[in-house]
Amino acid sequence: MSLLNRVQQLPKGFVWGAATAAYQTEGSTKVAGKGKTMWDDYLVAQGRFLPDPASDFYNRYEEDIRLSAEHGLNAIRVSIAWTRIFPNGDDAEPLAEGVKHYHELFACCKKYGVEPYVSLHHFDSPAALFNQGDWLNRKTVDAYVRYAEFCFREFREVKNWFTINELISLSHSQYIQGNFPPNHHFDVTSGIQSQHNELVAHARAVNLYKDLDETEHLGGRIGMVNVLTPAYPATDSPADQHAADLYNAFYTDFIMDGAFLGHYSARTLSLINEILRANNATLTVEDSDMEELAKAAPRNDMFGLNYYQSAFIAAYDGESTNSFNGTGDKGTSCFKFKGVGQQVDMPGIPTTDWDWLIYPQGLYDTLKHISATYPNLPVIYITENGLGHKDPEPDANGIVADPERIDFVDQHMEKVLQARAEGVDVQGYFIWSLQDQFSWANGYNKRYGLFYIDFDTQKRYIKQSALWYKELADTMAGAQERIAPPFLMACFPPRRERPYAIQTQPLPSLPLGPTPPAPGLLASGRPYRFSTSMPLRFHAKRSVNYGIDR
């Protein structure tokens, strides 16, 4: 019995992958000279869970990449652990063992016909730099660019680079929500400054890569990954519409403008200034920053869009407060941001156990909006999307039933392909995640993977979603030739029957919920107006949960 439901076929040549992150999967945090990250001491002090062994990807990467190829994946997102290369972030010499490890990882990807898309930073700043201010300190930006240059020159086999994963999530989780170290709550000056400084780091890395490519012929592509959480007004009142505009400016437009316009539009700055005034906050922009952003904007080769949920925003006149759901105890979240608004539930829109709204329409709206708004926007890949769930244990056949995950991805892929059919240049999709992993703020009870991991034994089990992924992969014209290199053709010859004995069952349909009060990402329904008369406010020199817990 087929597992396919809404989406019946993938486009020819579509990138069909899964995502990972070094700190969440590798384990082995103390081997081969690896330095500490911002998380190591923090997690020990917290005393809830540790990132060892995580998914033991450091030792078991070949098993996972082989499983990927066998189940139809032609790409994988991985990240390089900065501290495996430079333990303190800015060391004079790299660690040979770390360099060797990643060469072997990339060679393994090639062996199985799974293309690596490699991030340089995925929430794991070196502790030595973190303790000096992390991205708030320009020293981190300089060290990051030196690290990036080393990687570009050393790992020439990598042809798809991402600079920094989810710039806004770092800012939000470190300085607004406070569920990442250093656990600041509504420190708006640090929140906006870290966004800007990360953008400068991204731009410098893009410009460096493109300049190197001109002289050294690296032959690859580079871009940015960011998570977008579109905000809709809770009602059609002007106050709620304005609150949603403010939320979008802080959580979407500021970074997207900087990356793909090369400047902050007057409309975005007006809304950001309003938030800064309400919170007595400031932003410092150095003289060369905007030149760097402007130079990089048309040089991005790709944009990685992460999407998990949307937000419905109501006006709020009060002090900032939040409660983060880090346990999966449904209904325990609260987020109210002074000078912005408060997140609210919407009747008819389901949520996960971690209070994340399940709203595929938001992905469609986001794709249409950014495609229309940013002329420099390059090819788009959905680089993360998936369902965190309390999965059951494997059945007697070693299969994990996760129909909820299949339906979640099926609904979102339907919206991706709809946007693509309407002209949005979306060329791939990476599910979060490849295997069950260590989750930053939840430990191990929140599972996302296509492959189930018994964390006590590290044994891998197949989930129904992996079988669905494979069946959909097989619909691509030429899929067999493209995803099956000679090694796999010998080990896994084509089979007519399903290779696993599973009991299929009808997939529950997750309701899409009501149509939002206003269309698209712009809650007010008004087009962006780029006025040059807007003053810049720069310094001289119950609810749903936006917390990052993947």
Side-chain angles (χ1 to χ4, degrees):
M1 177 180 176
S2 174
L3 291 170
L4 301 186
N5 186 10
R6 296 173 186 83
V7 178
Q8 293 288 318
Q9 185 166 12
L10 294 177
K12 181 178 180 180
F14 199 68
V15 173
W16 191 231
T20 71
Y23 199 76
Q24 293 181 265
T25 61
E26 287 182 348
S28 299
T29 61
K30 300 177 178 67
V31 306
K34 184 182 186 299
K36 289 184 177 181
T37 74
M38 58 189 267
W39 290 95
D40 292 67
D41 292 339
Y42 168 78
L43 290 172
V44 170
Q46 191 182 53
R48 291 179 60 202
F49 35 73
L50 297 173
D52 279 315
S55 313
D56 198 25
F57 190 65
Y58 184 80
N59 296 302
R60 296 174 178 261
Y61 63 83
E62 180 159 8
E63 179 181 2
D64 288 345
I65 293 170
R66 178 178 58 79
L67 283 170
S68 300
E70 183 180 2
H71 288 84
L73 281 71
N74 55 42
I76 183 175
R77 274 192 68 203
V78 297
S79 68
I80 294 174
W82 187 347
T83 56
R84 286 201 194 279
I85 308 296
F86 297 106
N88 297 298
D90 58 353
D91 307 74
E93 297 295 331
L95 285 172
E97 187 65 25
V99 173
K100 177 176 178 286
H101 169 75
Y102 287 109
H103 276 303
E104 291 172 347
L105 170 62
F106 302 143
C108 183
C109 290
K110 181 178 180 180
K111 172 182 176 180
Y112 289 97
V114 178
E115 182 71 20
Y117 287 66
V118 182
S119 298
L120 289 165
H121 186 281
H122 196 125
F123 301 166
D124 56 351
S125 294
L129 295 176
F130 172 80
N131 292 334
Q132 299 177 63
D134 203 17
W135 293 105
L136 298 177
N137 188 339
R138 294 292 180 128
K139 179 182 178 181
T140 298
V141 177
D142 293 338
Y144 169 80
V145 174
R146 289 192 296 272
Y147 154 64
E149 181 174 6
F150 172 83
C151 290
F152 295 155
R153 284 187 152 134
E154 176 67 30
F155 302 112
R156 292 172 183 254
E157 65 268 42
V158 173
K159 300 304 179 184
N160 296 283
W161 290 101
F162 289 119
T163 55
I164 301 172
N165 181 75
E166 293 192 4
L167 292 74
I168 184 56
S169 295
L170 280 169
S171 168
H172 171 80
S173 299
Q174 290 185 298
Y175 302 113
I176 304 297
Q177 178 92 318
N179 60 309
F180 279 18
N183 306 115
H184 293 188
H185 292 267
F186 297 100
D187 176 357
V188 179
T189 291
S190 296
I192 197 68
Q193 191 68 57
S194 63
Q195 287 190 54
H196 174 77
N197 290 1
E198 291 165 41
L199 269 171
V200 172
H202 158 77
R204 286 181 60 185
V206 168
N207 288 328
L208 170 66
Y209 186 83
K210 302 305 282 187
D211 291 345
L212 285 174
D213 189 42
E214 291 177 1
T215 58
E216 300 185 21
H217 309 293
L218 300 177
R221 302 184 297 171
I222 191 167
M224 177 184 73
V225 171
N226 200 30
V227 66
L228 301 186
T229 304
Y232 303 91
T235 72
D236 60 1
S237 72
D240 286 358
Q241 291 174 356
H242 187 60
D245 286 344
L246 290 164
Y247 187 100
N248 282 325
F250 192 88
Y251 285 106
T252 296
D253 302 340
F254 188 78
I255 287 176
M256 292 298 288
D257 282 7
F260 298 112
L261 293 179
H263 63 272
Y264 304 124
S265 72
R267 183 182 188 277
T268 295
L269 283 175
S270 175
L271 293 164
I272 291 295
N273 284 338
E274 184 177 340
I275 298 169
L276 298 184
R277 285 191 295 269
N279 291 277
N280 194 28
T282 58
L283 169 65
T284 299
V285 176
E286 296 185 1
D287 291 341
S288 62
D289 291 353
M290 303 314 293
E291 295 176 10
E292 202 76 56
L293 265 60
K295 182 180 178 182
R299 305 178 90 184
N300 291 280
D301 297 304
M302 53 186 175
F303 172 54
L305 193 167
N306 294 357
Y307 176 84
Y308 289 90
Q309 62 169 331
S310 297
F312 287 83
I313 306 297
Y316 174 68
D317 184 16
E319 295 299 312
S320 295
T321 184
N322 72 285
S323 176
F324 172 71
N325 180 351
T327 62
D329 185 10
K330 199 166 188 173
T332 58
S333 300
C334 172
F335 186 77
K336 300 176 182 179
F337 192 167
K338 179 181 178 181
V340 178
Q342 62 178 323
Q343 295 184 9
V344 298
D345 288 325
M346 293 297 287
I349 298 181
T351 61
T352 72
D353 287 340
W354 284 265
D355 299 326
W356 291 25
L357 293 178
I358 300 173
Y359 195 65
Q361 181 66 30
L363 178 54
Y364 169 83
D365 290 342
T366 297
L367 287 166
K368 295 287 285 187
H369 169 73
I370 62 175
S371 181
T373 302
Y374 298 102
N376 284 329
L377 193 72
V379 59
I380 301 169
Y381 295 92
I382 307 302
T383 39
E384 288 182 30
N385 175 246
L387 177 67
H389 193 253
K390 299 170 184 175
D391 291 340
E393 293 184 354
D395 65 17
N397 296 311
I399 302 297
V400 176
D402 61 341
E404 301 87 354
R405 180 168 293 107
I406 295 173
D407 199 54
F408 180 96
V409 178
D410 194 27
Q411 289 190 60
H412 285 81
M413 270 302 300
E414 181 181 43
K415 293 300 180 182
V416 168
L417 295 179
Q418 179 185 350
R420 177 186 163 100
E422 295 171 7
V424 179
D425 190 11
V426 187
Q427 296 295 338
Y429 177 96
F430 295 77
I431 190 173
W432 185 268
S433 55
L434 176 63
Q435 70 282 77
D436 293 336
Q437 307 178 352
F438 165 75
S439 185
W440 305 104
N442 282 276
Y444 296 95
N445 72 326
K446 188 177 189 183
R447 295 178 179 267
Y448 278 95
L450 291 174
F451 306 120
Y452 182 98
I453 293 184
D454 181 331
F455 290 109
D456 292 329
T457 66
Q458 288 297 320
K459 184 175 180 180
R460 273 66 170 150
Y461 295 89
I462 307 304
K463 296 185 187 180
Q464 256 188 341
S465 55
L467 304 180
W468 174 82
Y469 225 71
K470 174 65 165 69
E471 185 174 354
L472 201 47
D474 287 344
T475 67
M476 279 190 278
Q480 183 64 54
E481 292 78 8
R482 187 169 51 77
I483 66 171
F487 179 91
L488 280 185
M489 291 299 291
C491 294
F492 306 107
R495 287 173 286 192
R496 293 184 179 277
E497 73 279 7
R498 184 175 298 282
Y500 302 98
I502 66 169
Q503 297 296 318
T504 58
Q505 55 186 332
L507 301 179
S509 178
L510 302 175
L512 294 179
T515 301
L521 191 59
L522 291 183
S524 64
R526 300 187 300 273
Y528 277 118
R529 296 186 178 89
F530 302 119
S531 168
T532 58
S533 62
M534 208 65 71
L536 310 186
R537 189 172 186 261
F538 292 150
H539 194 273
K541 199 161 110 172
R542 212 298 295 157
S543 303
V544 292
N545 176 26
Y546 182 59
I548 306 304
D549 56 353
R550 300 188 285 283

